[in-house]
Amino acid sequence: MMNPIGRAVWYIEMHFGSEISLVDVAQASELSKFHLVRAFGTYAGRSVMRYVRARRLSEAAKRLAIEGGGILDVALEAGYNSHEAFTRAFKEQFGITPDQFRRNPDLKNIRIVEPIKMDDSKKDTSPILSEPRIVDGDAMVIVGLKKRYDDETSTQMPSQWQAFQAHIGNIDNQKGNVAFGVLCNSDDDGNIDYITGIEVSEYPEATKELDGLRIPAQTYAVFTHEGHVAEIGWTWKAIFADWLPQADYKPVDAPQVERYGEGFDTETGIGDIEIWIPVAK
């Protein structure tokens, strides 16, 4: 069975020369927009629509390199309705204008984005993904540091955890010694809020530095992450690429949670790490 990312990639490759919306790709992938954005960004390292733009402009660059037609013709074929719009997008993607590229049309000098090869999906996911347990989670109030990330800045999430360490144990009304990484409020471009926090029994006195989030009671599919915390991305990929296509449960548009339990060792980065995916039958 083709996984949701494979269906999304197939649809994009068949249609990127025409107008494509995130809704179109979500329908083709059989996911909601929320989960498509999360799944695609996790798997591909860039958002759905950034991938669409990158593929569209990469194929346009190939045409400029091997064909003698005008730039406007290439722009129109790529789905841009003017030379100016195409030039802006091309320069944003490759760092040079189409005119500059045409004068020295060497594809080795720009970063062409080729189609994602879904045949290689098993190489990009964790080799072992245990069946999740299904948990009815209680409502929670999480307080911590919040920062918004995009495709490129998401690699900075570990530094957010480092900044949050000093707050653990020093937040009023803290419950237990479990830390949470909460992903929420994503948009169509793949930007998302990440909260590094702890659970509290009620909101403490307001502070300028900390944010709070109320998470309602929810059913979760809970996955254990085996190995170092730096490799948690492989488990996320396996969930979306391997488990989701054949699951009896459907993902719900709600915050997704990384849970770092009392057995997690901050010195070694190993132990007691779980990913909680909100689901429904």
Side-chain angles (χ1 to χ4, degrees), residues 134-194:
I134 304 302
V135 173
D136 290 326
D138 295 331
M140 294 190 295
V141 177
I142 303 296
V143 171
L145 297 178
K146 180 173 73 173
K147 187 174 180 180
R148 195 155 183 81
Y149 292 93
D150 60 23
D151 303 334
E152 296 180 353
T153 60
S154 61
T155 56
Q156 299 170 16
M157 286 180 178
S159 64
Q160 183 177 333
W161 276 109
Q162 183 177 358
F164 180 64
Q165 289 298 314
H167 295 282
I168 298 178
N170 296 307
I171 297 175
D172 291 342
N173 308 319
Q174 177 172 331
K175 292 178 64 176
N177 296 309
V178 175
F180 298 88
V182 183
L183 295 133
C184 56
N185 302 325
S186 65
D187 62 22
D188 290 0
D189 288 325
N191 304 306
I192 195 166
D193 287 343
Y194 187 59

Side-chain angles (χ1 to χ4, degrees), residues 16-37:
F16 68 70
S18 57
E19 197 66 32
I20 298 180
S21 72
L22 184 63
V23 172
D24 296 330
V25 185
Q27 289 176 345
S29 70
E30 300 179 10
L31 291 177
S32 69
K33 287 201 307 179
F34 173 84
H35 279 94
L36 174 63
V37 168

Side-chain angles (χ1 to χ4, degrees), residues 263-277:
F264 177 67
D265 189 331
T266 58
E267 295 296 323
T268 65
I270 296 174
D272 203 2
I273 306 172
E274 295 178 335
I275 294 175
W276 291 48
I277 302 294

Side-chain angles (χ1 to χ4, degrees), residues 15 27 59 68 73 83 93 109 117 127 179 192 201 212 219 231 238 241:
H15 297 88
Q27 289 176 345
E59 293 304 312
D73 293 334
H83 187 293
Q93 180 71 29
N109 293 332
K117 295 180 179 179
I192 195 166
S201 56
T219 299
E231 300 169 339

